[in-house]
Structures are given as C-alpha cells and as structure tokens.
Amino acid sequence: MHTKAFNPENSAVLLIDHQIGTMGWTHSHDINLVKQNAIKLAKIAAALNLPVILTSSMEENVQGPLIPELEEILPEAFAARIKRPGIVNAMHHDGFNHAVKVLERKKLFVAGVTTEICVTFPVLQMLDEGYEVQVSADASASYTKYGDELALARMRAAGAIITTVDQIISELAIDWTSPNGQISGYTKLPLDPTGQFGYRKTLCPNLSKILR
C-alpha cells in the first residue's frame, strides 16, 4: 500500500489566478486545454469533497475575473476567494497563507497561471514550510514554453512533483472498483466554445453527475 499517496482525506487543491485576462497572455500551451484541465480539477475536488482555495490577483484590472466556471462548480470557494492586491507570491498574502494553514493538510495539488510566476514562488515557499506539493503542469501555463519548462524544472529540483490532471485522478481513485474509483463510462465534454469535444473518464457516480 502506498502510504504516502495523496487522497481525498489528506490533500487539498489550490487554484491560482485562472483569470480571463491573465490566461489570454499565455502561449506555452493550448489555453483551451489548460482551461478545461483547471475546470476538471475543480470538478474532481467538488465531487470528492476536497478542500479548495481559489485566489486571484488584481482582478479589477486587465487580469480580469476568475473564469466563470469556477464559480459555477465551487460557489463557496469562489465566494471566499482570496483577492490579492498584486502580491506575486500568494503565500506572502496573509489571507491566503492563513487559508492554507487552517486546512491542516500537508499535501497540496497546485495549478495556476502563470506557472513561471504565480505558481513557482508560492510552491517554493510551501516546500520550504514542509508541504508536499504536486503541480498540475497541464492546468497551468506561462508566457512562453521556455519559461514554463524552466519554472517546472526549478520546482521539481526543489522537491515538487510535476504531474498532470489524469495522474491526479488516478491517484485519488486509488482503486477503480472503489466508490471513488468506479468508472461510469466516458463523458462528452466541450473542450472549447467552438464545439470541439473530447471524451473524459469520470470518477464515481457523484463526479459523473457533475461532469455531465
């Protein structure tokens, strides 16, 4: 048994600055896929009752609000989101720092925009403070592919696990025959507003309902 695994009872999800304006500045990945993966993380967290902290930076300015899907999926977390006035490292913001600490969970899934700024610096501090961190690389993005790769390498060297949304799903499922891991088939999800679609595996009946 993998005793150090992240599971719904010992982990939490932190989504940093998935804002409409900020996401539009990135060029390291297909931003529609990044958005869809961030939404998928939010839905998984909601279905499995993982604690979630949302944060934004200067959302009244060109960075804009968080993507509206986060409010639909996580209304309580959205209402309680930490609105930073421009602090780069979210862990330097008293409200965000306190919100992370009161979770009393030392295993954190983190994703955000941009990887090289808004994700890297808080992750480095979390690692310094003794947290175990998994960074979802495919739910994050940077201004350039080069900058994104360097940021991921820096976090990995500091002790972060660089992962993907599908790896996170598999780790949380633990056993596909368990309630959390039962496959309910493939769910058709829009990948972007143009009407492209992809098929996604879903976890457990509860998650299946959310993803439909």
Side-chain angles (χ1 to χ4, degrees), residues 178-189:
S178 70
N180 283 349
Q182 289 175 6
I183 297 298
S184 60
Y186 287 87
T187 300
K188 206 172 190 182
L189 286 177

Side-chain angles (χ1 to χ4, degrees), residues 42-178:
K43 289 178 175 179
I44 292 163
L48 299 182
N49 296 313
L50 270 74
V52 179
I53 297 174
L54 304 179
T55 184
S56 62
S57 178
M58 304 174 72
E59 64 178 52
E60 300 83 5
N61 298 311
V62 292
Q63 290 87 341
L66 294 173
I67 56 175
E69 291 86 350
L70 294 179
E71 183 175 14
E72 297 169 8
I73 300 161
L74 300 164
E76 292 183 8
F78 184 88
R81 71 192 182 280
I82 310 300
K83 295 190 280 187
R84 309 189 321 281
I87 297 172
V88 174
N89 179 353
M91 288 295 283
H92 286 175
H93 185 279
D94 290 342
F96 184 87
N97 192 299
H98 176 72
V100 173
K101 284 182 168 56
V102 299
L103 293 175
E104 296 185 342
R105 298 197 177 198
K106 301 297 286 187
K107 298 178 185 291
L108 305 174
F109 294 111
V110 180
V113 180
T114 65
T115 313
E116 59 195 340
I117 299 173
C118 305
V119 174
T120 296
F121 299 114
V123 165
L124 293 176
Q125 182 170 337
M126 291 168 196
L127 293 168
D128 283 345
E129 294 183 7
Y131 291 94
E132 297 176 54
V133 182
Q134 292 196 30
V135 176
S136 180
D138 58 349
S140 307
S142 296
Y143 301 113
T144 66
K145 186 68 174 175
Y146 184 60
D148 202 76
E149 290 172 351
L150 289 177
L152 294 174
R154 183 177 179 183
M155 288 185 282
R156 181 185 290 112
I161 297 168
I162 308 303
T163 189
T164 64
V165 172
D166 285 339
Q167 287 184 65
I168 291 170
I169 290 174
S170 299
E171 184 161 2
L172 291 172
I174 302 174
D175 178 349
W176 295 124
T177 64
S178 70

